[in-house]
Amino acid sequence: MKQRVQKVIANAGLASRRQAEKWIEEGRVRVNGQPVSLGDSADPDTDRIEVNGKPILVEPEKYCILLHKPVGYVTTARDPQGRPVVVDLVKNFPGRLYPVGRLDLNTSGLLLLTNDGELAHHLAHPRHGVEKTYLARVRGAVSPRTVQQLEAGVILDDGLTAPARVEVTRQQGTHSWVKVTIHEGRNRQVRRMFEAVGHVVSRLQRIQFGFLTLENLGPGQHRRLTKEEVERLKQL
Ligand code: URA
């Protein structure tokens, strides 16, 4: 994002804004090789900014985006098969974006994306066990005994699942709506948990990640997390 050059220099910790303005007036500051005047702007992520002939190093600004992933998008930055990818939906953010974990092609809901690789790794790591809540529409009536089984743990081909919280919220016609909270993040975990107890998931949406919810974001919409929210995420 373009900012006043004196602000970029001050943010890089090189000098106060006033001192940076003095440097600009003295002709010591160049952007992409051209001397700048007071009031000029530059983008620290894409422009080369020099003071006394030395480039200044500015860490790219870190940000985290909450996206309501629609069905039909692949959780990646580029798909070899040319399918739509989640990063296409957040084009106005520069730099490389890392998804935090993954949602299947046919799963919708809350997905975090960040240019902070360390944060993405931290949040997706099973050791940190961030709670994720899903709303599943499954075929058939889910009995109290099945709820108990899912809560206690079911055996999948990659081992027993950890305890979960499971609540049937609605039973309508041939389908049930079930809220499932897990803190693992195995591949297709919720779908496989239901398969293990004899139910097919016909729709799946992630409605919560830690303390974050989808709020009023519609499919395909996103918002940037506040600094406070990012700090809270780091504590999870
Ligand atoms: N569990 C699934 O089965 N799919 C997802 O996308 C996420 C969790």
Side-chain angles (χ1 to χ4, degrees):
M1 206 178 40
K2 273 193 182 275
Q3 302 163 28
R4 297 267 190 234
V5 176
Q6 63 269 30
K7 189 168 171 217
V8 179
I9 295 172
N11 287 349
L14 287 184
S16 67
R17 252 192 236 195
R18 192 158 309 155
Q19 178 66 58
E21 285 170 2
K22 237 171 119 204
W23 287 345
I24 291 170
E25 284 170 339
E26 290 166 5
R28 299 178 191 218
V29 182
R30 284 170 181 261
V31 173
N32 303 326
Q34 300 299 317
V36 290
S37 313
L38 210 52
D40 286 351
S41 300
D43 183 342
D45 292 331
T46 54
D47 291 321
R48 180 183 165 92
I49 303 164
E50 292 170 341
V51 177
N52 292 328
K54 282 203 193 121
I56 65 168
L57 289 179
V58 186
E59 280 265 304
E61 197 191 351
K62 300 273 190 357
Y63 47 81
C64 195
I65 300 156
L66 189 164
L67 169 71
H68 184 159
K69 175 195 174 296
V71 165
Y73 280 76
V74 187
T75 306
T76 179
R78 210 172 313 132
D79 182 50
Q81 295 175 44
R83 294 170 296 184
V85 297
V86 290
V87 169
D88 292 343
L89 297 164
V90 288
K91 280 239 159 72
N92 45 340
F93 289 90
R96 179 169 175 188
L97 280 177
Y98 303 89
V100 176
R102 200 150 66 86
L103 291 179
D104 301 335
L105 184 68
N106 291 326
T107 300
S108 64
L110 198 163
L111 181 69
L112 294 179
L113 297 159
T114 175
N115 64 342
D116 184 344
E118 214 174 302
L119 179 64
H121 184 70
H122 173 89
L123 292 174
H125 201 289
R127 180 157 43 100
H128 299 296
V130 179
E131 280 197 345
K132 286 143 288 210
T133 301
Y134 296 85
L135 188 58
R137 188 180 76 166
V138 305
R139 294 216 190 110
V142 177
S143 69
R145 163 139 177 75
T146 299
V147 169
Q148 266 177 15
Q149 277 180 307
L150 290 167
E151 287 195 320
V154 290
I155 297 172
L156 305 180
D157 52 15
D158 51 1
L160 182 70
T161 59
R165 288 201 305 279
V166 178
E167 186 194 347
V168 179
T169 60
R170 187 149 59 105
Q171 171 84 58
Q172 197 180 38
T174 54
H175 286 90
S176 311
W177 295 82
V178 190
K179 225 164 142 181
V180 180
T181 301
I182 57 174
H183 54 81
E184 300 177 288
R186 303 193 211 169
N187 199 16
R188 296 185 67 253
Q189 180 163 344
V190 175
R191 290 177 198 272
R192 290 192 294 135
M193 284 169 70
F194 277 104
E195 273 162 32
V197 293
H199 289 277
V200 172
V201 172
S202 56
R203 211 182 279 174
L204 187 62
Q205 183 178 51
R206 177 150 74 190
I207 56 173
Q208 192 157 353
F209 182 98
F211 60 91
L212 294 167
T213 63
L214 279 173
E215 301 155 24
N216 320 321
L217 291 179
Q221 294 186 321
H222 65 274
R223 72 171 178 93
R224 186 173 166 168
L225 296 189
T226 64
K227 285 209 168 76
E228 291 73 28
E229 287 171 323
V230 174
E231 281 313 308
R232 266 183 85 186
L233 278 179
K234 287 181 180 168
Q235 310 302 321
L236 288 179

